[in-house]
Amino acid sequence: MIKNKLLTMVYAIGVSCVLMACSYSDRPAEPTVSQVVEENVESSEVEETSEAKENTDIPSADLPLPEEVSTEQIDEISPTLTLIMVGDMLMHTPVENSALQENGSYDYSAIFMHTKELIQEADLAIVNEEVIIGGEELGVSGYPAFNAPYELGHELVETGFDVICHGTNHALDKGKRGLLNCVNFWEENYPQTAILGVHDSQESQDEIYLYEQNGMTVAILNYTYGTNGIPLPSDMPYAVDLLEEERVINDIKQAEEIADFTIVCPHWGTEYLLETDSQQKKWTNIFLEYGVDLVLGTHPHVIEPVEWVVDEETGHEMLVYYSLGNFVNWTSSSGDGIANRMVGGMAQVTLEMDENQQVHIKKYDVEPLVSHLQQGVNGVTVYPLSDYTKELAARNEILKQDAAFSLEYCEALCENVWGQYEVN
């Protein structure tokens, strides 16, 4: 079965120029991590140790710069589709406390107030919802067994997200009951919102989600490396989409048959590592071999490189965002490297259908983001780094846990991991 979201075909009548905080029209150079961000981080929150990083070579390819369009060509502009994705919604206890209002209700709008416009501008907006939304009846909780109230789901939709990725290592933090509460919430309140990675039936797991716009059909898949050692319910082997090779390959093959463009959102990698590991390289090769076009990765809780890879036999190219880091978080850990977790990225990709009805990436960027943390109601929010100031950084309470945090630190981190970062 296939889920379809139909939007009215819209053709542009003009061309606007949008200033992005970080552009990747060419493949970035291999990152050189500076002294301020290269120290290994040991944390009590590490939930799984991935395999050691291996030097698995994946050839890279450059993406040509989009050609300028003259005013005479405006009427001939090809159909486009813009999409964004943000990283982990990691709802630690202080983040939940920030959303708790004096009347006992939860209001998460402050978290999104500085990014909502960017999210709503996209045709298709995706979020990695790290925390299961099981409702207050199961107890609102932070690390290590997360659970959020239903108000978080309402706010994600109000903010403008179209696709919610729940396929994470925390999907079973509240067991079968938590997962079913979460799925039921979405089905009953927002059936038009795509919920990926968790299921209440085999039929649901067998569906390939499709998004359609301007004659383009995009398939989106979401998987996690595991569930923190919590086994799938014995009567629900379909509950969570895992990175299992046979299933993943079969899903990709099906997606390639029915879609023009395939996106995979894997929850993978090594926590707090600013570079890729061997498992990410392995899965990148599998995704590339079977025709995936775009990979939007999460889980390491820090940003990782963005690069093009190419299949030397077929010439097929694939763009990989290895990790978008955290969208919001307030870890309880302290020490060197904690500041790295405050920086995330918003992937921004524009798809285009050419005259041969082939869909490809026209341009791609990343908007650096910062988790801004202050005690009190509505004290936690997320800023684009381009809007962040030294004054705000000086008030960010993560300084109590890592004194290295500063605006300059965040800028250096982006430059060293992404290579072409520029401050507007």
Side-chain angles (χ1 to χ4, degrees), residues 131-179:
V131 175
I132 205 73
I133 302 175
E136 289 187 70
E137 64 188 88
L138 299 183
V140 176
S141 56
Y143 180 84
F146 291 97
N147 181 55
Y150 296 133
E151 284 88 344
L152 178 58
H154 294 308
E155 192 60 45
L156 290 175
V157 174
E158 172 63 25
T159 299
F161 289 108
D162 306 290
V163 177
I164 316 296
C165 292
H166 268 298
T168 80
N169 56 306
H170 290 287
L172 292 176
D173 277 4
K174 293 298 178 178
K176 177 180 177 179
R177 178 73 180 278
L179 186 145

Side-chain angles (χ1 to χ4, degrees), residues 138-411:
L138 299 183
V140 176
S141 56
Y143 180 84
F146 291 97
N147 181 55
Y150 296 133
E151 284 88 344
L152 178 58
H154 294 308
E155 192 60 45
L156 290 175
V157 174
E158 172 63 25
T159 299
F161 289 108
D162 306 290
V163 177
I164 316 296
C165 292
H166 268 298
T168 80
N169 56 306
H170 290 287
L172 292 176
D173 277 4
K174 293 298 178 178
K176 177 180 177 179
R177 178 73 180 278
L179 186 145
L180 288 176
N181 279 9
C182 184
V183 173
N184 290 339
F185 164 78
W186 288 113
E187 290 179 347
E188 292 175 4
N189 293 277
Y190 302 104
Q192 77 281 9
T193 300
I195 307 306
L196 307 183
V198 294
H199 309 280
D200 60 358
S201 69
Q202 187 63 59
E203 181 182 34
S204 171
Q205 187 180 51
D206 291 340
E207 294 173 345
I208 301 294
Y209 172 71
L210 298 179
Y211 179 91
E212 297 185 0
Q213 180 174 317
N214 291 355
M216 291 176 277
T217 302
V218 178
I220 309 176
L221 307 170
N222 173 216
Y223 307 93
T224 177
Y225 72 89
T227 54
N228 292 342
I230 303 173
L232 298 178
S234 59
D235 59 341
M236 293 177 62
Y238 45 75
V240 182
D241 288 330
L242 300 174
L243 279 169
E244 297 171 332
E245 194 164 330
E246 182 177 357
R247 175 161 196 95
V248 170
I249 291 173
N250 287 337
D251 286 349
I252 294 171
K253 287 180 177 179
Q254 184 180 352
E256 285 291 289
E257 291 177 358
I258 58 181
D260 303 307
F261 192 91
T262 301
I263 300 172
V264 176
C265 302
H267 206 63
W268 63 355
T270 301
E271 289 181 318
Y272 320 124
L273 182 66
L274 295 167
E275 302 175 21
T276 55
D277 70 11
S278 60
Q279 285 298 301
Q280 287 169 302
K281 294 295 186 182
K282 167 196 167 182
W283 282 106
T284 295
N285 281 320
I286 291 172
F287 298 153
L288 181 66
E289 179 181 356
Y290 289 94
V292 172
D293 301 289
L294 175 63
V295 176
L296 300 168
T298 56
H299 174 65
H301 305 310
V302 294
I303 59 174
E304 291 182 347
V306 178
E307 70 173 352
W308 282 92
V309 296
V310 59
D311 188 320
E312 293 182 340
E313 293 185 5
T314 65
H316 175 66
E317 296 176 347
M318 182 177 74
L319 179 62
V320 186
Y321 291 75
Y322 286 101
S323 174
L324 296 173
N326 293 323
F327 179 75
V328 67
N329 81 112
W330 193 336
T331 177
S332 61
S333 299
S334 298
D336 294 341
I338 297 302
N340 296 349
R341 308 185 202 181
M342 298 302 108
V343 178
M346 177 187 292
Q348 298 171 314
V349 180
T350 299
L351 307 184
E352 180 181 53
M353 177 176 283
D354 62 25
E355 63 277 7
N356 297 318
Q357 307 300 300
Q358 299 297 309
V359 177
H360 60 88
I361 295 174
K362 180 180 181 181
K363 60 182 179 180
Y364 64 107
D365 308 273
V366 66
E367 179 81 36
L369 306 172
V370 182
S371 288
H372 182 72
L373 314 179
Q374 289 187 239
Q375 293 287 348
V377 177
N378 301 328
V380 175
T381 188
V382 178
Y383 282 91
L385 182 56
S386 57
D387 294 338
Y388 209 54
T389 65
K390 291 182 179 180
E391 291 74 21
L392 284 169
R395 298 202 299 269
N396 195 320
E397 295 192 37
I398 202 64
L399 281 163
K400 298 175 183 178
Q401 296 163 241
D402 187 350
F405 179 86
S406 67
L407 175 62
E408 293 79 9
Y409 184 102
C410 296
E411 292 169 350

Side-chain angles (χ1 to χ4, degrees), residues 12-17 65-80 352 362-363:
I13 60 174
V15 178
S16 62
C17 179
L65 288 168
E67 296 181 0
E68 291 189 4
V69 180
S70 67
T71 55
E72 292 80 5
Q73 294 174 304
I74 287 178
D75 290 336
E76 301 177 4
I77 293 176
S78 300
T80 61
E352 180 181 53
K362 180 180 181 181
K363 60 182 179 180

Side-chain angles (χ1 to χ4, degrees), residues 112-132:
F112 303 99
M113 64 186 298
H114 302 291
T115 56
K116 188 172 183 178
E117 183 175 352
L118 285 171
I119 292 164
Q120 293 188 340
E121 285 176 351
D123 296 320
L124 176 61
I126 311 169
V127 60
N128 187 67
E129 180 46 57
E130 183 91 8
V131 175
I132 205 73

